[in-house]
Amino acid sequence: MSSTPLASPNDMRASLAARLSAMYAEEVPKYGHLVDATNRINANHGDTRDADRLGTERHGAIRVASFDELEQISAIFSLFGMEAVGYYDLRTSGTPIPVVSTAFRPTAVGDLAASPFRMFTSTLVADDERFFSSDLQAELARRIAERTLVSDELVDLVDASVAAGGVAEADSARFVALTVDVFRLNAEPIDEAWHAQLDAVSPVASDIAAAAGTHLNHLTPRVVDIAALHALMEAEGVTMIDRIQGPPSWDGPDVLLRQTSFRALDETRSFIDADGHAAEKVVRVRFGEVEQRGIALTPQGRAKVDAAMDVAKTAAPATEAERLDIIRAELNASLGSTIEALAAAGDAYVEYQPGVSAVDGQATVDDLVAAGCITVAPITYEDFLPASAAGIFASNLTHDGAQVDDTSARLDDADRLREAVGTLHDPYALYAAQQHESLTRTLEALGLSLEEIS
Ligand code: OOG
Ligand code: NI
């Protein structure tokens, strides 16, 4: 039996992240500046959590036009060891956007350590009648069905790889290069009238469906101190959006995710007007973003953070500083300020490890932690926040688009997304499983079992 050696998905994912980063630095020079500033901050910081992955850690964002396109993209990501995690309905946000999203990422601890690259992927809901008239829906369907995101060569490689259980080592460099091409800015001229029609409904819809293909919308490095990064970029002449999205620093450890960005860039694209004349026009869709990641929270911990953010929203303070102070006070009041306290309250997910002290009759996990028989380390939040995502979308649009009154979630679309991606992981279940496995392993190492411990 002949067997072709298969490439490691972890190596392929690391290579994809590096190549996309090189491409994006060429397309968007300010991104290169952002990565450089991020590396300077990270190098001068004592925080060593995830230190070995920080230098290459990125998330990207892409937008596709249909669930069929999502299915195609999903098959490609799967060969890079990236699976769909989480569901975000961006139509329910303050500035409703006609997309539903998921993130493709590695799910196993070792794979995240090898290369944590993830892609926030949004799908246009082109048949949502709250946004699109029936005429627009029909025209969208026709044009979307006509376009090709993935080259025939890559389609063939994907099919062969799926059949073989992975990408052949000999094909992997080509596979990565063809995948990068899928996310490269498409140079084909845009139909101006069609673009304007969609733009009136939503600038995100025109970005997605007036072009001939998808493209990387942004690529985001991870920094250990986002406030310092924000100040550094401003000092170096790059205007950042004034807000850092997500829960601010407080008395306890960083939680979840904080993000900020610099303004979408004016870019020149080729258009064709109604008379068939070519014209260059300025569009603003791509931008730079940076993020800081903290500990993953349980649904209960997350609810406390969401409540704190809501209090600040309702209070409608006059300044950003006051808004942050309100959230800080709420977090300090509702959450324990150490990893141990967060874990004991069931507000955050942790990895358990055997400590240095000998077990001496302790009957609960909390007692074992308190006595130093078990130590806890934070599990990093690997996902996204719908409010921040909506904020990032909105802060970079030139205008909001048409008014939409009904902004309720549509569960049918969650099912369509799930069907397109095959398996849709619940992020909480992944963190809970990681915590549970670490506890089982730790107790075993201490000669205890879960049954004996409450
Ligand atoms: C995606 C926006 C969401 C994030 O980091 O929350 C996102 C987009 O603009 O396509 O990337
Ligand atoms: Ni992003």
Side-chain angles (χ1 to χ4, degrees):
M1 203 179 92
S2 82
S3 72
T4 324
L6 298 179
S8 131
N10 286 349
D11 291 349
M12 285 185 51
R13 190 169 60 257
S15 162
L16 177 65
R19 274 153 193 274
L20 285 174
S21 189
M23 177 183 82
Y24 204 59
E26 241 171 69
E27 290 183 345
V28 179
K30 265 195 214 171
Y31 164 78
H33 185 171
L34 178 70
V35 167
D36 180 65
T38 297
N39 288 341
R40 280 181 276 150
I41 300 258
N42 288 352
N44 289 318
H45 210 276
D47 185 347
T48 52
R49 185 142 61 96
D50 296 335
D52 40 357
R53 57 180 241 199
L54 280 181
T56 56
E57 180 156 355
R58 305 279 186 276
H59 86 250
I62 54 164
R63 304 155 175 188
V64 299
S66 67
F67 292 101
D68 284 344
E69 289 186 359
L70 179 66
E71 188 170 340
Q72 246 188 337
I73 293 292
S74 172
I76 296 173
F77 282 144
S78 158
L79 292 159
F80 285 94
M82 298 160 77
E83 296 164 46
V85 183
Y87 173 72
Y88 311 85
D89 189 335
L90 276 300
R91 295 168 299 185
T92 63
S93 63
T95 308
I97 296 159
V99 302
V100 292
S101 311
T102 186
F104 290 94
R105 68 167 177 87
T107 56
V109 182
D111 297 336
L112 281 159
S115 168
F117 182 62
R118 65 208 106 196
M119 190 74 92
F120 191 90
T121 303
S122 301
T123 302
L124 184 73
V125 190
D127 56 6
D128 189 326
E129 74 284 355
R130 296 172 298 181
F131 291 86
F132 306 107
S133 67
S134 49
D135 284 355
L136 264 185
Q137 288 180 46
E139 187 63 9
L140 274 166
R142 192 183 68 74
R143 292 189 184 238
I144 292 166
E146 255 175 20
R147 69 180 207 167
T148 318
L149 281 197
V150 183
S151 61
D152 292 344
E153 186 184 354
L154 184 51
V155 169
D156 289 346
L157 269 180
V158 169
D159 290 347
S161 305
V162 169
V167 179
E169 183 66 62
D171 292 333
S172 71
R174 184 75 189 143
F175 197 102
V176 173
L178 290 170
T179 303
V180 170
D181 286 341
V182 173
F183 305 128
R184 195 183 295 283
L185 198 57
N186 196 296
E188 224 170 278
I190 296 167
D191 177 339
E192 190 173 16
W194 173 234
H195 186 275
Q197 237 181 314
L198 288 178
D199 206 53
V201 175
S202 157
V204 174
S206 57
D207 174 51
I208 298 174
T214 184
H215 56 80
L216 204 54
N217 175 274
H218 60 268
L219 199 61
T220 302
R222 176 172 164 197
V223 72
V224 293
D225 185 343
I226 197 165
L229 186 278
H230 192 281
L232 179 61
M233 288 296 279
E234 290 271 347
E236 296 184 352
V238 179
T239 309
M240 307 292 286
I241 63 167
D242 48 6
R243 182 177 279 203
I244 297 176
Q245 316 273 352
S249 60
W250 59 297
D251 287 354
D254 295 334
V255 295
L256 300 170
L257 175 68
R258 302 180 71 202
Q259 298 180 312
T260 192
S261 58
F262 56 77
R263 291 207 54 98
L265 307 162
D266 285 347
E267 289 177 301
T268 316
R269 299 269 173 92
S270 305
F271 283 80
I272 301 272
D273 71 14
D275 302 326
H277 298 306
E280 303 272 281
K281 254 178 72 172
V282 167
V283 295
R284 181 186 278 183
V285 285
R286 304 200 302 169
F287 59 100
E289 181 191 50
V290 61
E291 67 191 9
Q292 177 177 344
R293 290 187 173 269
I295 188 171
L297 298 183
T298 62
Q300 174 187 297
R302 173 65 179 273
K304 292 180 182 176
V305 170
D306 287 347
M309 308 283 274
D310 281 347
V311 169
K313 204 175 199 174
T314 310
T319 67
E320 177 65 4
E322 281 172 65
R323 187 183 76 89
L324 297 181
D325 281 344
I326 294 172
I327 301 171
R328 249 179 221 122
E330 293 290 321
L331 294 181
N332 289 338
S334 62
L335 290 172
S337 66
T338 61
I339 304 287
E340 289 77 11
L342 286 166
D347 284 332
Y349 294 109
V350 293
E351 278 257 6
Y352 295 100
Q353 271 149 22
V356 287
S357 313
V359 177
D360 182 22
Q362 293 88 355
T364 68
V365 174
D366 292 343
D367 289 345
L368 287 161
V369 172
C373 313
I374 293 181
T375 61
V376 294
I379 292 179
T380 298
Y381 188 62
E382 306 285 355
D383 294 289
F384 293 85
L385 299 176
S388 302
I392 294 284
F393 263 110
S395 65
N396 285 282
L397 301 178
T398 40
H399 63 100
D400 287 353
Q403 185 70 34
V404 173
D405 296 325
D406 171 10
T407 60
S408 55
R410 296 251 171 129
L411 288 177
D412 288 1
D413 294 324
D415 292 338
R416 290 158 88 192
L417 183 139
R418 184 176 291 109
E419 211 173 290
V421 299
T423 306
L424 179 61
H425 294 276
D426 170 4
Y428 292 115
L430 294 174
Y431 299 122
Q434 184 182 346
Q435 171 172 296
H436 183 79
E437 275 160 31
S438 75
L439 182 59
T440 313
R441 237 184 299 118
T442 299
L443 291 177
E444 204 177 305
L446 297 177
L448 299 167
S449 74
L450 258 185
E451 291 71 48
E452 302 168 57
I453 298 292
S454 50

